[in-house]
Amino acid sequence: MRATSRHFSIALTALALIAAGSNLHAQKSDDRARIAELAAQAVSGEWQAQQDAVAALVEEHGPFAVNGLMRWIGSQSDVDARVLAVCALRRLGPQATLPLLAGLHAGDAMVRRNICLALAEMEDGRARAALFAVAQHDQDELAATQARQALELLGGPPRGDASSALAAMATEACSGWADDLPEVFFWNGKEIAHRPVSAALLGPAYAKLFAEDALCIDPCSAEAKHALVSAYQAMKQAIEAGDEGSADWEPELQKLADLLALGGADTGVSAEEPAYEAEPMAGADTLINSEDKRLRYKSALALAGSQATEEVVSTLASALSESAVRQILVVDADRDELNGLVALLTGRDSFAIGATSGAQGLVRAKAQPFKDAIIVRSSLKDVPADQFVENLSRDVRTQGVPVILVAEESEMERVQALLGSKVQAVVPAPITLAVIKPALDAAFEQAKLNDERMEAEQFSRLAAEALASLDAAALAPVAPALVGALGRADEIQIPVLGALAKVGAGEAQGKVASLFADGGASPEARVAAAQALAGILEQNDAQPATMSALLAALAGEDAPLRSAAARVIGKARSVSAEACTRLLLEHGVRY
């Protein structure tokens, strides 16, 4: 099975070389041009020139010379060159083993056959497990046969199967390796590549490769998954010790943590439980039934930490629904644009009204209720934008109200230069929620709330924090109220997402998945949405849109979102262990 064999470890036999304390890599050069020149001489020309070229490859370039000979051992037309290249590889001896094992990932069957020939003649027992994998799983029968014959010369195959042999090597590697010049060799999809590594990280780095290769053979191998966890722990310990060069491997450590999470493995990293400290209140247990809703809310908040009764939780849910509705005025002479923007901005926590002229806009801006933000088209005809802004700044009723100007792309620079310092923001048309939301959020932070609206917002925020601290059983009856709070400010919806993660409410999946996929949402909200999805998908099957969002994040460049998506998929009940392992290997990076 050729495609499977390409996954086998490029470094399976490092242990014996390292244990022997070999110095063969010392002072070797990876001069690609010189290696290519010597490799060409080694497979052509006079006999003495060939011998001199091989000697130079051995002495000057060592393991790095293997790449230069790879093109020749796969030659279909020049049999003599192919044979001479295999002989040159044998002359390299043990220092060629690791890069040759990397070459077993090559797609060219002729290359794999001749690598097996070279390894057999080297009589290097370190290659047994890799050859065993080729013998069992290579799709090319000749390559599999060459591997079996090589194994006979090396003392026979290891016990068990190839997956077990690779997993055993990974576990052994984590026990600690040392080398004068540690180097990780691997197949990058086109050729043999290599990367230097600190002595403390050498074993964990190779262990990761061995364990991944074992999982390619047997996706359900408990031995391989355990070895992968051991590799993570050893790599983490080495990086935390601060060895020279270890910090360069921190991205690989995070990728490995993501892979483990994707496979459902525990790396010891878990989300912190939100802390809620109730403010004591005398007589709270009796005031919970007060006709004054403010007293009821305060009582429920005080009792949440000690007496989370059904009545307390229900009252907290009512408090959660309180909101300080933000008042927005939109001024635009284009009725279609105006109506569309008013509809876009009218929602759970905001209410928008419109005006079709500058004069009408100024009247409505100064009428109660006073506005938290004013959005104005810069191209108004009856009142120019600069006069409109100046009029607002002179009136005590509108002084300090944030103004957002909307300008055509061609006018952005001029409007910014003229009024940019006098308004909250200048944004380009056409308006979308992603375009306007950052400016509105900043405006709302600046806007002043009256006492009643400020108290409503505070009750909602505190109720969200209190609910997030309760257990799933207490939260289950108020799941609809939690779902209803999604889409509000982060200080409310993030703790609500934490509560939904505990409840695992299936009805929340669509809204939570949409929030996770929303590039306009804050990174913190999207990660919190992923944590909620993890709880939801443990109890419910994943919807297609949810899986699409998770897989997109898994393949993306945003590290926190990628990690979050991996944890969700690893816990999803509708994603099989084999499917998780396939994703793990697909998204794994071989350094």
Side-chain angles (χ1 to χ4, degrees), residues 327-331 353-355 357-374 376 383 387-401 403:
Q327 301 290 330
I328 305 170
L329 171 64
V330 181
V331 185
I353 61 171
S357 68
Q360 186 183 48
L362 288 172
V363 171
R364 292 190 173 180
K366 298 168 186 178
Q368 290 191 355
F370 295 130
K371 309 306 178 287
D372 296 299
I374 299 174
V376 186
V383 181
Q387 294 181 25
F388 189 95
V389 172
E390 180 67 22
N391 188 296
L392 292 175
S393 67
R394 290 199 308 265
D395 194 301
V396 68
R397 293 168 293 182
T398 50
Q399 284 176 348
V401 175
V403 177

Side-chain angles (χ1 to χ4, degrees), residues 5-6 8-14 66 96-106 115 119 126-131 185-187 192 210:
S5 71
R6 293 176 64 186
F8 300 144
S9 176
I10 55 158
L12 179 62
T13 60
V66 174
T97 299
L98 298 180
L100 281 177
L101 294 177
L104 288 175
H105 291 76
I115 286 176
L119 290 170
R126 300 170 297 150
R128 289 172 65 221
L131 288 168
F185 287 91
F186 58 98
W187 184 257
I192 299 166
F210 302 156

Side-chain angles (χ1 to χ4, degrees), residues 28-62:
K28 306 301 182 184
S29 166
D30 187 24
D31 184 336
R32 296 292 186 92
R34 176 61 174 160
I35 289 172
E37 179 185 348
L38 290 172
Q41 293 175 10
V43 300
S44 61
E46 297 297 326
W47 181 86
Q48 189 57 53
Q50 293 173 4
Q51 298 305 303
D52 292 344
V54 172
L57 287 172
V58 172
E59 296 300 323
E60 298 173 17
H61 305 287

Side-chain angles (χ1 to χ4, degrees), residues 550-565:
L550 291 170
L551 292 175
L554 192 64
E557 297 298 322
D558 189 308
L561 285 182
R562 188 173 60 239
S563 299

Side-chain angles (χ1 to χ4, degrees), residues 150-436:
L151 280 171
E152 291 302 317
L153 294 174
L154 297 174
R159 292 181 179 179
D161 58 21
S163 177
S164 298
L166 289 164
M169 284 294 289
T171 300
E172 193 169 2
C174 284
S175 65
W177 286 0
D179 189 28
D180 292 330
L181 189 64
E183 198 83 25
V184 178
F185 287 91
F186 58 98
W187 184 257
N188 67 6
K190 296 181 179 179
E191 63 179 1
I192 299 166
H194 58 91
R195 179 177 176 180
V197 62
S198 70
L201 277 171
L202 182 66
Y206 275 122
K208 173 182 179 287
L209 297 177
F210 302 156
E212 288 179 350
D213 292 338
L215 286 170
C216 285
I217 298 171
D218 181 4
C220 296
S221 170
E223 295 172 277
K225 290 180 180 179
H226 176 75
L228 202 58
V229 172
S230 298
Y232 169 83
Q233 292 171 340
M235 187 179 290
K236 184 171 185 287
Q237 184 177 3
I239 290 174
E240 289 177 346
D243 293 341
E244 184 178 355
S246 295
D248 296 339
W249 283 73
E250 287 185 1
E252 275 66 35
L253 179 68
Q254 183 56 56
K255 290 173 187 174
L256 182 50
D258 296 347
L259 297 180
L260 287 169
L262 187 59
D266 181 15
T267 60
V269 179
S270 59
E272 292 185 7
E273 181 74 15
Y276 173 72
E277 295 184 9
E279 194 171 315
M281 177 181 177
D285 52 348
T286 58
L287 291 173
I288 191 73
N289 296 311
S290 172
E291 292 183 2
D292 187 333
K293 71 176 183 180
R294 291 176 298 175
L295 290 178
R296 292 199 306 274
Y297 292 165
K298 290 179 180 179
S299 300
L301 291 167
L303 295 170
S306 58
Q307 300 178 40
T309 64
E310 184 176 338
E311 186 175 24
V312 167
V313 176
S314 175
T315 304
L316 288 173
S318 296
L320 177 66
S321 68
E322 294 284 344
S323 65
V325 177
R326 304 288 188 163
Q327 301 290 330
I328 305 170
L329 171 64
V330 181
V331 185
D332 193 333
D334 187 320
R335 287 186 178 275
D336 290 337
E337 293 285 342
L338 175 67
N339 292 336
L341 192 51
V342 167
L344 180 69
L345 298 178
T346 297
R348 178 70 172 75
D349 291 329
S350 60
F351 181 77
I353 61 171
T356 55
S357 68
Q360 186 183 48
L362 288 172
V363 171
R364 292 190 173 180
K366 298 168 186 178
Q368 290 191 355
F370 295 130
K371 309 306 178 287
D372 296 299
I374 299 174
I375 301 173
V376 186
R377 178 74 66 164
S378 65
S379 56
L380 291 175
K381 300 298 184 184
D382 62 328
V383 181
D386 56 340
Q387 294 181 25
F388 189 95
V389 172
E390 180 67 22
N391 188 296
L392 292 175
S393 67
R394 290 199 308 265
D395 194 301
V396 68
R397 293 168 293 182
T398 50
Q399 284 176 348
V401 175
V403 177
I404 300 170
L405 287 176
V406 179
E408 296 299 327
E409 197 72 53
S410 59
E411 286 288 294
M412 282 287 293
E413 187 174 345
R414 183 188 68 80
V415 174
Q416 183 70 48
L418 179 65
L419 294 169
S421 62
K422 300 179 180 180
V423 297
Q424 178 71 38
V426 180
V427 298
I431 292 295
T432 64
L433 193 58
V435 168
I436 199 69

Side-chain angles (χ1 to χ4, degrees), residues 108-142:
D108 188 335
M110 182 69 75
V111 168
R112 300 197 305 279
R113 296 172 197 168
N114 286 308
I115 286 176
C116 291
L117 279 174
L119 290 170
E121 292 298 323
M122 287 179 191
E123 298 183 356
D124 189 341
R126 300 170 297 150
R128 289 172 65 221
L131 288 168
F132 190 27
V134 175
Q136 285 192 334
H137 299 284
D138 202 300
Q139 291 180 351
D140 181 72
E141 186 53 40
L142 285 178

